[in-house]
Amino acid sequence: MKIAIGIDIGGTNTKTVLASEDGEALLSHTDPTPAVTEKGSDRIEDRLVANLNAILDTPAAKKVVESASEIAGIGIGIAGLIDRKNGRIIQSPNISAVNNVPLRGIFEKEFSLPVVLENDANAYAFGEKWIGAGKEFDNFIVLTLGTGLGGGLIYKGALYEGPVEVGHMTIVPSGRYCTCGSYGCLESYASGRAIVDRAVSSLEKGTDSMLAKCCEGNFYKITPEVVYETALEGDNLSREVFREVGQFLGIGIANLINILGLEAVIIGGGLIGGWDMFIDGLSREAHKRAFKLLSTDVKILKSTLTRDGGSIGAAGLLFHSIAGRSDETPS
Ligand SMILES: [Zn+2]
């Protein structure tokens, strides 16, 4: 049995799995992503390498590696624009320390293994096609609803190697400021950050809400999970915040359906627990706005991947790339 290492480097946490060829996580590890703001002796790439070495050194990892016939390689997913030719991150909005870092070559040299580097939401989308809710579809988009909003596209059965920055399509002219530098991006209305910003802004204006009493009155301690919990308890503001997330996601999805002619839209990410709070509004809005002919049969589905979806998808991409390389070898 071959295994692959899958790493999902997020703005907050880095998840690492040892995955089997069937997409099973044999070991999974979560660590904080190194917070490095300045380059110098304390480089983020060195800390990521040290982190993986430390994981591989644990008795649990050693046991998995010993039971495997070989480690096929390392798949890495990271938020940002990827230069696939050179295995480099061009720009990562939330982890700026990795900008221009040739992460693929660094990991190849350090671990003497093949490495693939891909955008995190693309890796997640690959995971959905490989072992998730997208198995039976050839044209679908995956939206990852977390701190931000990522997107990955499976087109004609394969991963589309483009930016697919669905979170940065403009939804509201002169709308809220976005971390990308523009205004009115979908991510500023439908993401974990958007949920918190929207709730805090209403509280600061004096809107009556259960949220005002939680977090000891410190609005900056409010998280999307807290908003979800108060929404479940019937809080009007919290419910309204989730209703808006659904509405804006629905508008974005209608645009995507009209442009791409999709069989399915799969939604995953850390905020998927709030599904019941936004799915009805989302679905209504998407079907109301998209061309009937294009939208009638589109399935809007919840991701079936576990919380390790991004890292497992990255491991899957590595297996896929190895298979592609051996196909090219003349026999
Ligand atoms: Zn943006």
Side-chain angles (χ1 to χ4, degrees), residues 6-229:
I7 307 176
D8 180 14
I9 306 168
T12 311
N13 287 319
T14 294
K15 293 190 174 172
T16 307
V17 291
L18 296 181
S20 72
E21 282 177 288
D22 301 329
E24 190 190 344
L26 304 167
L27 180 113
S28 126
H29 221 275
T30 303
D31 303 281
T33 297
V36 180
T37 49
E38 282 176 33
K39 299 245 175 98
S41 56
D42 201 17
R43 299 185 309 171
I44 190 166
E45 53 269 42
D46 296 339
R47 294 180 59 179
L48 289 167
V49 163
N51 189 40
L52 179 55
N53 271 321
I55 292 170
L56 292 175
D57 220 25
T58 60
K62 281 183 177 163
K63 203 172 152 201
V64 173
V65 171
E66 275 164 21
S67 70
S69 58
E70 67 169 306
I71 303 179
I74 305 169
I76 303 174
I78 186 162
L81 298 176
I82 307 295
D83 169 2
R84 289 177 188 80
K85 188 159 173 269
N86 298 303
R88 170 182 78 96
I89 297 132
I90 301 168
Q91 192 195 348
S92 179
N94 295 325
I95 321 164
S96 58
V98 295
N99 291 350
N100 281 314
V101 172
L103 211 55
R104 186 179 68 203
I106 291 168
F107 271 71
E108 275 172 351
K109 190 159 167 259
E110 183 67 30
F111 296 96
S112 304
L113 287 170
V115 177
V116 290
L117 180 68
E118 189 44 83
N119 169 273
D120 60 345
N122 284 7
Y124 196 101
F126 184 87
E128 288 290 358
K129 175 67 184 162
W130 184 33
I131 53 161
K135 266 198 287 194
E136 59 186 285
F137 304 112
D138 284 329
N139 293 301
F140 66 90
I141 197 149
V142 175
L143 303 181
T144 56
L145 189 58
T147 310
L149 179 68
L153 175 65
I154 299 295
Y155 179 68
K156 291 188 176 174
L159 178 69
Y160 172 73
E161 292 186 338
V164 200
E165 291 291 348
V166 295
H168 301 282
M169 68 166 92
T170 302
I171 290 286
V172 182
S174 319
R176 296 178 200 154
Y177 177 72
C178 177
T179 51
C180 76
S182 186
Y183 292 85
C185 294
L186 180 56
E187 180 173 293
S188 303
Y189 294 84
S191 65
R193 200 184 298 120
I195 288 171
V196 172
D197 288 353
R198 169 72 175 80
V200 170
S201 139
S202 285
L203 290 170
E204 284 176 343
K205 285 179 194 146
T207 304
D208 186 34
S209 161
M210 289 180 195
L211 285 169
K213 292 170 206 86
C214 72
C215 306
E216 295 114 27
N218 183 351
F219 297 163
Y220 295 94
K221 281 191 181 166
I222 292 173
T223 63
E225 289 73 20
V226 170
V227 182
Y228 175 68
E229 279 157 25

Side-chain angles (χ1 to χ4, degrees), residues 254 257 282-290 292 295-296 298 300:
I257 290 170
L282 179 157
S283 191
R284 207 178 314 118
E285 200 72 35
H287 287 105
K288 185 173 86 186
R289 289 177 186 264
K292 282 251 158 342
S295 71
T296 308
V298 177
I300 298 177

